[in-house]
Amino acid sequence: MKAKVRSIILIFCISILLVPGWAYQASIKQNDSIYMEKNKEIKTVRKIRVFPKTVHIPKGSDEKELRDMITVYAYYKDEEEPRVINDYTTNYKAQKQDKKHCYVTIEFIEGKCVEKTCVKVSFCVPIDGEKSSAISTAAINQETTNGTMMAHVAAGDEDINFPYISGYGDHTFRPNQAVTREELATMLARLITKNSIPSEENQYEDLYDERFSTDAVNYITRLGVMSPETKTLFKPDRKVSYQEFEEIVKHINAYIKNPDTKLPSGKRELTRAETVITLNSLFRVQCNTNHETFPFRDVKPDMPEYHPILCATQPQS
């Protein structure tokens, strides 16, 4: 009997010693869980970024049109990929649109922290009713970027009578060489703007500011005529296929003057000669040249592409 009593007393004492330890461990786990949950809640943004950094919209556009053209990213610590955010504010309404451009501040608040960035907004003159009625709805749809009319609406009736492509330093044109994406972008930009490509802020890591094609590439991609490879890479040296060229032409319908132009077809890469032959036709490039000498030693007068190359590369007389 005494042994039983001693056993009961021993078990009771042990339980008294163990229960506080168990409760303490449970309390620690609970506190850790609460701490981790709170830590998640107070995670703050390291920075925000906007893409693109420059947009062009007609005067009189509201803030919604600006928001449709930009994407704002929030970067958090220990997260590799940024998050797209929409609950930001801007001071767009306070900007005066009588200037050529302005800088709109974008502000994002989370917790007790605020992060800011800015986007450059250039204002263009909107199309008036008389002009817009002359442009088909289909053409307008193809000349919009995220719902906003672009600055240049049509190539107009003026003649294309200026060189829009050049040869190489070794006095060759290389007619059978595949055209690159930056070469095509440059040609299109010159034709669309009548050889007055605007200065553009560079959005791509694989282009540098002094490169011959940088303004043209940024202009053409901003218009939506050509697409970058990624948000920060254009791949300027990549060759253009027939299929890609066909897709690009679909985006310049409002600029072209000869929609009946037959495009090259097949599964090959587009050559420089084929490019100028097709663009000469699409834009009805004027050719009144009368040159006794020709600057390219690899293009002979008896070649079928001789005359189109002459029209695309030489000043008109």
Side-chain angles (χ1 to χ4, degrees):
M1 183 69 181
K2 289 182 179 180
K4 277 188 178 180
V5 172
R6 282 198 297 269
S7 297
I8 291 171
I9 293 172
L10 180 62
I11 292 171
F12 178 73
C13 291
I14 292 172
S15 65
I16 289 175
L17 292 171
L18 290 177
V19 168
W22 172 82
Y24 176 72
Q25 291 295 330
S27 174
I28 289 177
K29 287 183 179 179
Q30 184 178 7
N31 289 338
D32 284 347
S33 177
I34 292 171
Y35 173 78
M36 290 175 68
E37 198 63 34
K38 283 185 176 180
N39 195 41
K40 277 185 182 177
E41 291 175 3
I42 63 173
K43 182 180 281 189
T44 54
V45 181
R46 290 191 297 111
K47 62 182 178 181
I48 62 172
R49 291 289 183 269
V50 61
F51 182 87
K53 295 178 182 178
T54 302
V55 294
H56 298 251
I57 59 179
K59 289 182 179 179
S61 300
D62 58 21
E63 185 176 341
K64 181 181 181 302
E65 292 187 76
L66 171 65
R67 285 173 172 265
D68 287 341
M69 296 185 70
I70 62 175
T71 305
V72 181
Y73 297 93
Y75 293 80
Y76 289 82
K77 186 179 180 181
D78 300 327
E79 291 186 13
E80 293 184 4
E81 295 295 325
R83 304 180 194 176
V84 175
I85 56 174
N86 296 305
D87 52 339
Y88 57 85
T89 60
T90 79
N91 65 343
Y92 177 79
K93 291 181 180 179
Q95 300 296 328
K96 294 182 179 180
Q97 298 189 19
D98 56 350
K99 299 178 181 179
K100 289 185 178 180
H101 67 267
C102 67
Y103 289 90
V104 173
T105 300
I106 297 170
E107 192 172 277
F108 178 63
I109 300 175
E110 188 169 73
K112 295 183 179 180
C113 298
V114 58
E115 291 293 331
K116 296 181 181 181
T117 187
C118 66
V119 58
K120 181 179 178 181
V121 178
S122 294
F123 298 107
C124 64
V125 179
I127 304 172
D128 56 40
E130 184 180 348
K131 264 188 180 176
S132 59
S133 63
I135 302 173
S136 68
T137 302
I140 290 176
N141 288 337
Q142 289 194 355
E143 287 306 303
T144 57
T145 301
N146 293 329
T148 303
M149 187 64 67
M150 294 180 301
H152 298 276
V153 175
D157 296 327
E158 298 175 17
D159 291 339
I160 303 293
N161 56 6
F162 50 83
Y164 63 86
I165 183 176
S166 58
Y168 295 91
D170 60 355
H171 302 292
T172 62
F173 183 80
R174 304 176 195 175
N176 297 320
Q177 179 174 291
V179 70
T180 64
R181 281 165 53 80
E182 69 175 339
E183 289 175 336
L184 180 58
T186 302
M187 286 185 267
L188 290 172
R190 288 171 178 166
L191 289 166
I192 290 171
T193 66
K194 302 297 175 60
N195 212 20
S196 298
I197 302 172
S199 178
E200 296 280 337
E201 184 173 351
N202 185 23
Q203 306 288 338
Y204 305 111
E205 295 174 359
D206 51 358
L207 294 173
Y208 53 87
D209 291 343
E210 293 77 21
R211 193 179 179 106
F212 78 91
S213 64
T214 299
D215 283 337
V217 166
N218 282 273
Y219 175 77
I220 286 296
T221 54
R222 174 169 63 77
L223 264 59
V225 174
M226 294 178 71
S227 301
E229 192 77 10
T230 67
K231 286 185 176 180
T232 58
L233 297 175
F234 180 74
K235 298 291 184 182
D237 297 321
R238 185 162 63 75
K239 307 298 190 294
V240 179
S241 66
Y242 285 162
Q243 185 177 4
E244 183 180 6
F245 183 60
E246 186 177 353
E247 287 300 313
I248 291 169
V249 171
K250 291 178 182 179
H251 294 289
I252 59 172
N253 278 352
Y255 299 122
I256 62 178
K257 298 180 179 180
N258 183 13
D260 297 326
T261 300
K262 186 176 179 180
L263 303 180
S265 60
K267 296 183 178 181
R268 295 194 303 110
E269 293 173 338
L270 186 71
T271 67
R272 284 165 56 84
E274 290 170 329
T275 304
V276 298
I277 290 170
T278 308
L279 293 180
N280 284 354
S281 176
L282 286 170
F283 288 87
R284 288 184 178 162
V285 174
Q286 300 300 306
C287 193
N288 301 313
T289 58
N290 186 23
H291 293 269
E292 296 181 2
T293 59
F294 197 61
F296 308 120
R297 54 188 175 83
D298 58 346
V299 182
K300 307 300 180 184
D302 58 348
M303 295 168 63
E305 59 265 35
Y306 174 85
H307 191 70
I309 291 174
L310 188 73
C311 296
T313 61
Q314 303 304 303
Q316 308 299 304
S317 58

